Amino acid sequence: MNIILFGPPGAGKGTQAKKLQNEYSIPHLSTGDIFRAAIKNKTPLGVKVKSILDSGELVPDETVVDLVADELSNEKYQDGYILDGFPRTVVQAKAFDAFLAKNNDSLDAFIFLSVPEEELVKRILSRGEGRADDTVEKVKTRLSVYRKETEPVMNHYKDQGKVQKIDGMGSIDEIFERIKAALDQ
Ligand code: AMP
C-alpha cells in the first residue's frame, strides 16, 4: 500500500504516519526527518539544506526528488510506504507519478488532513520539539509556502480522483480512526 499523508505544517502528519506505520507494518518516509538528520550529522546534504530549513522555505525540487527516489529504492519499501512531507510541489508530484509509472506501481491513497489555520499555529508553537523552524515568524513563512506551493498538489491528485479529506481536529486516536476508516474502504 502506497500512501501520501498530506496537509499543512502542524496538521499531525508525523504523528499519524507513525501510528499508521505500526498498524499496517509499512515504513514511514518523512523528507523533513531525513533533512533534519542530515543537518544534525553535518552530511553534505545537511550542509546544503540547513539554511533553507531554518528559513522555512522549500528545498529545491531536484534535490528532494532524487533523495526520495533513492530512498524508495531501498528494499524495505518494496511492500509500500507512507509519505509524509512529500510531494510538496506540483513538480514533485509529477516526478513522483513518473517514478511510480517507471516501477509499474501506483498510489493507493492520498489522505488530506484538514485543520484550520489558527489551530495549526497553536499546535506548532506548543509542540516543543525544539525545531529551529517552530517560531512564530518561521511558522508564518511555512504556512504561506504551503498555501502557495503545496496546496496546488491537492488539485493534481483530485484530478486523479485520489483525495480523501479527513477532519484533522480532535484527539490523536479519533483522527487515526478516521484515517483507518478511509484506508479500509
Ligand atoms: P517537515 O518536517 O515536513 O515540516 O519539513 C521541514 C522542512 O524540510 C520544510 O520546511 C522544508 O524546508 C524541508 N522539506 C521537507 N520536505 C520537503 C519537500 N518535499 N520539498 C521541499 N522541502 C522539503
Side-chain angles (χ1 to χ4, degrees):
M1 187 150 61
N2 301 329
I3 304 169
I4 292 177
L5 199 51
F6 185 85
K13 299 185 295 293
T15 305
Q16 296 297 335
K18 286 187 193 105
K19 287 177 75 72
L20 288 168
Q21 166 168 283
N22 294 335
E23 178 80 13
Y24 295 97
S25 302
I26 46 176
H28 161 213
L29 196 175
S30 156
T31 40
D33 283 352
I34 293 178
F35 291 135
R36 280 185 291 277
I39 291 169
K40 194 166 157 225
N41 297 322
K42 299 194 168 66
T43 67
L45 174 69
V47 171
K48 185 171 159 188
V49 302
K50 181 175 186 315
S51 63
I52 302 175
L53 265 82
D54 284 348
S55 72
E57 300 287 340
L58 295 181
V59 173
D61 287 327
E62 201 190 328
T63 305
V64 188
V65 167
D66 288 351
L67 175 87
V68 171
D70 192 49
E71 178 70 18
L72 288 181
S73 65
N74 191 311
E75 208 187 327
K76 76 173 183 179
Y77 298 105
Q78 75 176 11
D79 294 328
Y81 40 82
I82 303 153
L83 294 177
D84 154 17
F86 177 90
R88 229 178 179 101
T89 65
V90 173
V91 170
Q92 291 178 21
K94 288 183 177 162
F96 181 56
D97 285 352
F99 171 86
L100 286 170
K102 197 175 114 200
N103 291 290
N104 283 322
D105 209 345
S106 61
L107 182 68
D108 297 292
F110 182 101
I111 300 286
F112 166 48
L113 281 179
S114 171
V115 176
E117 191 151 325
E118 326 75 82
E119 172 73 11
L120 297 171
V121 178
K122 251 196 277 171
R123 283 190 195 177
I124 294 174
L125 297 180
S126 67
R127 68 184 173 190
E129 286 174 354
R131 278 175 53 165
D133 57 353
D134 277 356
T135 62
V136 177
E137 197 190 321
K138 304 295 164 55
V139 169
K140 281 192 187 144
T141 305
R142 284 157 63 203
L143 285 171
S144 97
V145 168
Y146 171 78
R147 281 191 297 265
K148 187 157 157 267
E149 307 278 343
T150 307
E151 228 166 30
V153 169
M154 206 153 33
N155 290 330
H156 178 82
Y157 289 101
K158 270 187 191 150
D159 292 345
Q160 297 183 8
K162 295 253 160 86
V163 176
Q164 288 175 285
K165 182 176 173 180
I166 301 289
D167 177 4
M169 293 294 281
S171 72
I172 289 173
D173 286 336
E174 279 163 358
I175 300 163
F176 183 56
E177 290 304 320
R178 289 177 203 141
I179 297 174
K180 271 200 304 183
L183 292 176
D184 293 342
Q185 254 172 33

